[in-house]
Amino acid sequence: ILNVEQSPQSLHVQEGDSTNFTCSFPSSNFYALHWYRWETAKSPEALFVMTLNGDEKKKGRISATLNTKEGYSYLYIKGSQPEDSATYLCAWGGAGGSYIPTFGRGTSLIVHP
Amino acid sequence: NAGVTQTPKFRVLKTGQSMTLLCAQDMNHEYMYWYRQDPGMGLRLIHYSVGEGTTAKGEVPDGYNVSRLKKQNFLLGLESAAPSQTSVYFCASSYTRTGGDGYTFGSGTRLTVV
């Protein structure tokens, strides 16, 4: 079983704060890294899929970076809003196995008004 | 635009009963997946399919069977349900094995085995 670790496990911030969390994954045989947003009582929704070292993706106030050589990705949220409250999942796909992404356990973000 | 539809949404089974969960997608995706989600465990892959007529085991396949007779449907079966199979089950689909633009998930099935 390949380890995909996310930190912190949970995070409480105030509205307007900027925040970031980390996804760590095996640096060998990297193929793709996914980020998903998962709101309570809904299904996970894809934010980004990154494949190249140094990739940076942005969607509104949310952005992500990728370092495949050292095996980590950061997700940033600028000016957090209560509607950003969700669990953020990352998933690592490796070329050494089936390529199917392995999910981390997620970071739960709660933004207080 | 339905995306991925799972039925049923909720089910309570007695130990030893059988049931089938249905996943249907209308995006012409080749790849389909069944995951289970348990507290503190994240999403774990049960079985997946790389195309019509194919299936393969994931991380936690024991106690489950699957079939992909039609490209748009992926069925997950529990032959003899056990309390350890109490979980929330998610189906997902994608254009490519590596996810392409990301997986599209269904809304989940909450299964309780008593």
Side-chain angles (χ1 to χ4, degrees), chain A residues 1 9 31-32 34 36 38 41-46 48-49 89 98-106, chain B residues 33 35 37 40-45 48 50 59 90 97-108:
Chain A
I1 297 173
Q9 188 174 346
Y31 196 88
H34 299 212
Y36 292 84
W38 192 358
K42 296 188 177 180
S43 52
E45 183 180 333
F48 308 115
V49 177
L89 295 175
S98 65
Y99 291 88
I100 295 172
T102 298
F103 283 84
R105 297 182 182 187
Chain B
Y33 317 86
Y35 288 90
Q37 192 254 330
M41 296 297 292
L43 289 167
R44 292 185 292 169
L45 183 65
Y48 64 98
V50 301
E59 180 187 350
F90 285 94
R97 187 191 294 256
T98 55
D101 293 331
Y103 287 7
T104 301
F105 283 86
S107 58

Side-chain angles (χ1 to χ4, degrees), chain B residues 17-81:
Chain B
Q17 285 185 320
S18 64
M19 78 163 293
T20 300
L21 282 67
L22 171 63
C23 177
Q25 53 96 2
D26 62 359
M27 297 169 288
N28 203 34
H29 284 171
E30 287 293 336
Y31 299 86
M32 297 187 75
Y33 317 86
W34 276 107
Y35 288 90
R36 59 178 289 172
Q37 192 254 330
D38 302 293
M41 296 297 292
L43 289 167
R44 292 185 292 169
L45 183 65
I46 305 171
H47 286 280
Y48 64 98
S49 168
V50 301
E52 181 178 313
T54 74
T55 64
K57 294 180 181 180
E59 180 187 350
V60 288
D62 293 343
Y64 305 95
N65 56 76
V66 287
S67 64
R68 183 108 181 261
L69 299 179
K70 293 183 179 181
K71 185 176 183 179
Q72 63 268 34
N73 296 335
F74 194 29
L75 279 63
L76 178 72
L78 286 73
E79 290 186 348
S80 179

